[in-house]
Amino acid sequence: MKKFLSKYWVWLLLVLLVVGEVYSFAYLYPYTGADYISLVFGMSGIGALVYLTIANERKQKG
């Protein structure tokens, strides 16, 4: 039961990070170059977290 909860809490956190990143970008409407750079780095960081989460799940399975 503990593994089940921890796995889904991690995915929920990742979804909230993506929603927060997109919302914060949309909120800054007159976009500047720094806003685009922030979006790229934010999404690449979230992508790295997703990759590490999937790799960790595969490692735990066997």
Side-chain angles (χ1 to χ4, degrees), residues 1 3 5-6 11 23 32 34 37 41-43 45 48 55 57-58:
M1 183 72 171
K3 283 184 181 182
L5 289 177
S6 65
W11 284 109
Y23 178 77
T32 63
I37 292 170
F41 278 107
M43 286 300 174
E57 286 182 12
R58 288 182 179 169

Side-chain angles (χ1 to χ4, degrees), residues 1-55:
M1 183 72 171
K2 185 178 178 182
K3 283 184 181 182
F4 174 80
L5 289 177
S6 65
K7 182 170 91 171
Y8 287 102
W9 280 113
V10 168
W11 284 109
L12 178 64
L13 175 66
L14 290 172
V15 168
L16 290 175
L17 283 172
V18 169
V19 169
E21 182 72 25
V22 170
Y23 178 77
S24 67
F25 181 74
Y27 181 74
L28 300 169
Y29 174 62
Y31 304 129
T32 63
D35 296 331
Y36 289 114
I37 292 170
S38 173
L39 180 69
V40 167
F41 278 107
M43 286 300 174
S44 64
I46 292 170
L49 288 174
V50 168
Y51 173 77
L52 290 173
T53 302
I54 292 171

